[in-house]
Amino acid sequence: MDLDSEIEYDYYPRFRVYKNGQIERLVTQTFVTPSLNPENGIVSKDAVYSPEKNLSLRIYLPHKAVAGEENKKKLPLLVYFHGGGFIMETAFSPVYHTFLTSVVSAADCIAVSVDYRRAPEHPIPIAYEDSWDAMEWIFRHVSGTGPEDWLNENADFGRVFIAGDSAGANIAHHMGMRAGKEHEISGMTLFHPFFLSKVGGVGYFEGIWDIASPKSDKGVVDPWINVVGSDLSGLGCRRVLVMVAGEDVLAREGWVYAAALKKSGWGGKVEVMETKGEDHVFHLRNPNSDMAREVMRRFAEFLKKQD
């Protein structure tokens, strides 16, 4: 057998990675188109944030904000980073289109869902670099003269929030750390964050990290994934909400992160919401469950709260 055709990592039924570096994604990748026809009262459209890399993001907005209603108000701005282990999913996947539509409806905000290049074709740290490019593009609208009218006219840059699930939560954390030096962030929500530590016991996710970061020789102590090993005091937001699921093998890392943040000298407030009896990103897999609705309610409350 040709060595290049041999499987190096088999994550059936999600994907396989071959020894020649190629990946076979086994889950059908569906692209949901944006729509100016209201869905649950929300409209959406895509915008290119990096022409040279051909990278886009999706903007979600309450239809009433573009319907010419009087007494128009600025809305909180949510920047969201999708999960998928740095390997699967996109900002345009059905699960994220549904989730962001529901968030914007529940929280009465404007949301930007960031797409970034995925591993292993584009290994770590490319996802972070792309995500920061998106952040910089978004903040070009602070003065109201950016390239996208929806952001110029509707986003309240005094109330900016960042969030993500799993790998996207990891990205959100790093964006929060970097933004602390350049931009003001009101709050951050991490859904079931993909962090690792020396404690181990999460072999599935350790394997995912190895695939996503083949250039790293640090394993689970790499500061991109073992964030509690770094100084957290410079996190650039005032409030943090960490979501954990009781049956999730990564739940411990969420609790450890919150505790480390409290001890770091960071001056903000961190809260943890645990959903017992549920597993990793359950709220995306089963968004109509009672527990998922409670997660959505708490997230919307977090976004609506005035500092």
Side-chain angles (χ1 to χ4, degrees), residues 138-157:
I138 291 165
F139 276 98
R140 286 169 58 191
H141 298 79
V142 171
S143 64
T145 58
E148 177 47 58
D149 287 343
W150 278 13
L151 291 172
N152 290 330
E153 297 171 5
N154 298 284
D156 181 352
F157 280 90

Side-chain angles (χ1 to χ4, degrees), residues 94 102 109 132 175 204 219-220 222 227 230 262 273 284:
S102 298
C109 66
W132 184 252
M175 295 304 101
Y204 176 93
V220 297
D222 190 313
V227 301
S230 304
K262 288 179 181 178
M273 175 183 175
L284 298 178

Side-chain angles (χ1 to χ4, degrees), residues 60-108:
Y60 298 83
L61 184 67
H63 182 250
K64 62 185 179 182
V66 294
E69 293 187 6
E70 295 182 3
N71 301 318
K72 190 173 183 178
K73 63 178 181 178
K74 294 277 188 174
L75 302 173
L77 170 61
L78 168 66
V79 183
Y80 193 87
F81 303 94
H82 71 82
F86 302 100
I87 295 170
M88 301 293 289
E89 303 293 353
T90 73
F92 318 113
S93 299
V95 66
Y96 289 105
H97 185 85
T98 298
F99 179 67
L100 269 298
T101 297
S102 298
V103 170
V104 172
S105 178
D108 194 25

Side-chain angles (χ1 to χ4, degrees), residues 36-302:
L36 296 178
N37 294 318
E39 178 184 354
N40 197 21
I42 307 304
V43 290
S44 58
K45 68 175 176 177
D46 294 345
V48 175
Y49 71 84
S50 178
E52 62 277 9
K53 299 174 185 174
N54 193 30
L55 290 171
S56 300
L57 44 74
R58 180 158 295 176
I59 307 172
Y60 298 83
L61 184 67
H63 182 250
K64 62 185 179 182
V66 294
E69 293 187 6
E70 295 182 3
N71 301 318
K72 190 173 183 178
K73 63 178 181 178
K74 294 277 188 174
L75 302 173
L77 170 61
L78 168 66
V79 183
Y80 193 87
F81 303 94
H82 71 82
F86 302 100
I87 295 170
M88 301 293 289
E89 303 293 353
T90 73
F92 318 113
S93 299
V95 66
Y96 289 105
H97 185 85
T98 298
F99 179 67
L100 269 298
T101 297
S102 298
V103 170
V104 172
S105 178
D108 194 25
C109 66
I110 179 171
V112 176
S113 183
V114 176
D115 201 44
Y116 51 84
R117 290 174 292 173
R118 300 173 299 178
E121 304 96 323
H122 304 284
I124 298 298
I126 288 175
Y128 303 108
E129 295 166 355
D130 291 347
S131 297
W132 184 252
D133 286 346
M135 291 285 287
E136 292 281 77
W137 183 89
I138 291 165
F139 276 98
R140 286 169 58 191
H141 298 79
V142 171
S143 64
T145 58
E148 177 47 58
D149 287 343
W150 278 13
L151 291 172
N152 290 330
E153 297 171 5
N154 298 284
D156 181 352
F157 280 90
R159 292 184 292 164
V160 178
F161 297 84
I162 55 177
D165 64 279
S166 195
N170 176 298
I171 292 173
H173 160 78
H174 286 288
M175 295 304 101
M177 292 299 299
R178 188 165 178 179
K181 302 172 184 177
E182 302 181 39
H183 304 296
E184 182 177 348
I185 306 294
S186 294
M188 177 175 74
T189 300
L190 306 181
F191 295 87
H192 312 164
F194 183 9
F195 299 143
L196 296 175
S197 66
K198 293 180 181 179
V199 173
V202 288
Y204 176 93
F205 287 98
E206 290 175 8
I208 292 285
W209 178 247
D210 287 343
I211 295 168
S213 59
K215 297 179 181 179
S216 173
D217 60 358
K218 299 177 181 177
V220 297
V221 298
D222 190 313
W224 287 119
I225 197 72
N226 184 4
V227 301
V228 297
S230 304
D231 181 7
L232 303 179
S233 63
L235 183 65
C237 59
R238 298 184 288 272
R239 293 189 288 125
V240 172
L241 173 61
V242 181
M243 303 277 199
V244 298
E247 299 302 310
D248 183 3
V249 295
L250 294 179
R252 176 191 175 277
E253 303 300 333
W255 284 105
V256 169
Y257 174 82
L261 197 53
K262 288 179 181 178
K263 296 176 182 177
S264 69
W266 171 68
K269 179 181 180 182
V270 59
E271 302 174 76
V272 179
M273 175 183 175
E274 179 180 15
T275 308
K276 295 185 181 299
E278 297 287 357
D279 211 335
H280 195 63
V281 297
F282 75 92
H283 63 294
L284 298 178
R285 303 178 197 276
N286 189 11
N288 294 318
S289 68
D290 289 344
M291 291 295 97
R293 288 193 175 101
E294 182 59 21
V295 166
M296 178 66 71
R297 185 200 65 77
R298 183 68 184 87
F299 185 34
E301 180 184 82
F302 183 81

